[in-house]
Amino acid sequence: MATTRFWRDVAVTALAPAIWGSTYIVTTELLPPERPFTAALLRVLPAGLLLLAWTRTRPRPGEWWRLWLLSALNIGVFQALLFVAAYRLPGGIAAVIGACQPLLIMALLWLAERQPPRRLALLAACGGMAGMALLLLSSAAHWDGPGVLAALAGAGCMASGTYLTRRWGSSLPVLALTGWQLLLGGVLLAPLAWLLDPPLPVLAARQWLGYGYLSLAGALLAYALWFRGVARLPPVAVSSLGLLSPLCAVLLGWLLLGQSLGGWALCGLLLVLGSVLAVQWSSQRPAPHRA
């Protein structure tokens, strides 16, 4: 029963990065261009307001500072760094750097809790980065220093947020915790959208549809599933599922936009899938004794 429950939680949590993978094609095909922080703001703030209107649950007084920090790591600062990296780097490089999140969480567990990484999980995480490189990188990829730093910092934010969310826990139900993080993350993103993005034009129906999808599916549903998984699964297992986001983006580009998917890319796709499954299989075993 425990094994069945574990794999069911893995499957449900995997829906979140799969939905996030679809936001790439929605952004490029439906949204007005050159407004990254506005897109991030309209993605998270309405979803947070809807969830809080539904749950009507407030955190305890002593939880506010933790909630602000988690909101910055998981939503606000992470989204800002993500868009900086996306604008300065090719998508392949940004995704390969982001694939180091499982390794970062292993390092956090080792340093903070003296929990050494499992050998299989470590090898699988490295294999996931290698597979992502085969899937997405090209010989003409341009490495931009500030973009690389932004991508690394974003990966560190998401890894730290995932680890601390699991370690600290919360008195809030999952939906209320998700709503507060989306709302506070939106508050942090609002000044960036106001100062750095041009004003929105009059939106067409397809653009309203795109923003609605980003908010309801890409934020409300996806983050609720993600934080549910964070509460139930080991941090390394959850972070490795994030590799499915660029993988789903590649598959949707191939299916809907006719983008090419050659031999090496297929090898990388299979390597990424194998690494994700290997990390999950390793994570369901009992944890090794601490040093």
Side-chain angles (χ1 to χ4, degrees):
M1 289 294 294
T3 300
T4 302
R5 184 166 56 250
F6 174 85
W7 286 105
R8 183 172 62 246
D9 289 336
V10 167
V12 171
T13 308
L15 293 174
I19 294 171
W20 290 333
S22 70
T23 61
Y24 293 106
I25 194 170
V26 170
T27 300
T28 57
E29 299 299 313
L30 298 181
L31 300 188
E34 298 181 359
R35 291 167 176 83
F37 299 113
T38 300
L41 174 64
L42 294 179
R43 178 184 185 182
V44 301
L45 189 59
L49 291 172
L50 285 174
L51 281 175
L52 293 181
W54 174 265
T55 58
R56 299 184 181 182
T57 305
R58 293 173 56 88
R60 294 172 180 172
E63 290 183 317
W64 278 106
W65 71 271
R66 289 184 175 182
L67 194 57
W68 272 105
L69 180 57
L70 292 178
S71 301
L73 292 173
N74 288 322
I75 309 295
V77 177
F78 169 70
Q79 291 283 340
L81 291 170
L82 179 69
F83 280 111
V84 170
Y87 267 72
R88 298 189 67 100
L89 291 174
I93 294 180
V96 171
I97 295 173
C100 71
Q101 287 184 39
L103 295 174
L104 294 177
I105 288 188
M106 291 180 198
L108 284 171
L109 289 170
W110 197 358
L111 293 172
E113 301 184 13
R114 298 294 187 268
Q115 183 178 321
R118 297 183 175 94
R119 185 175 302 175
L120 176 60
L122 185 60
L123 291 174
C126 294
M129 289 193 67
M132 199 65 69
L134 287 174
L135 180 64
L136 296 172
L137 286 187
S138 68
S139 58
H142 171 65
W143 294 78
D144 174 80
V148 169
L149 291 177
L152 283 172
C157 280
M158 192 64 172
S160 301
T162 300
Y163 169 75
L164 291 175
T165 301
R166 176 60 186 262
R167 175 161 183 168
W168 285 343
S170 176
S171 64
L172 295 170
V174 170
L175 291 181
L177 177 64
T178 303
W180 279 110
Q181 289 195 61
L182 291 173
L183 174 64
L184 298 180
V187 170
L188 295 173
L189 284 167
L192 296 176
W194 178 265
L195 295 173
L196 301 179
D197 283 355
L200 279 174
V202 177
L203 298 179
R206 61 196 296 269
Q207 294 169 333
W208 281 108
L209 181 63
Y211 282 123
Y213 177 83
L214 284 184
S215 184
L216 296 178
L220 191 154
L221 175 60
Y223 273 108
L225 295 176
W226 182 257
F227 288 126
R228 176 187 180 276
V230 168
R232 298 184 179 209
L233 297 171
V236 175
V238 176
S239 65
S240 72
L241 292 174
L243 300 181
L244 298 177
S245 179
L247 187 147
C248 290
V250 170
L251 289 176
L252 286 173
W254 174 62
L255 289 171
L256 300 180
L257 301 180
Q259 297 173 353
S260 62
L261 192 60
W264 283 112
L266 287 174
C267 291
L269 187 149
L270 293 175
L271 186 54
V272 171
L273 284 176
S275 72
V276 171
L277 290 174
V279 170
Q280 306 309 310
W281 184 81
S282 174
S283 299
Q284 73 169 345
R285 296 158 54 196
H289 294 293
R290 296 181 182 179

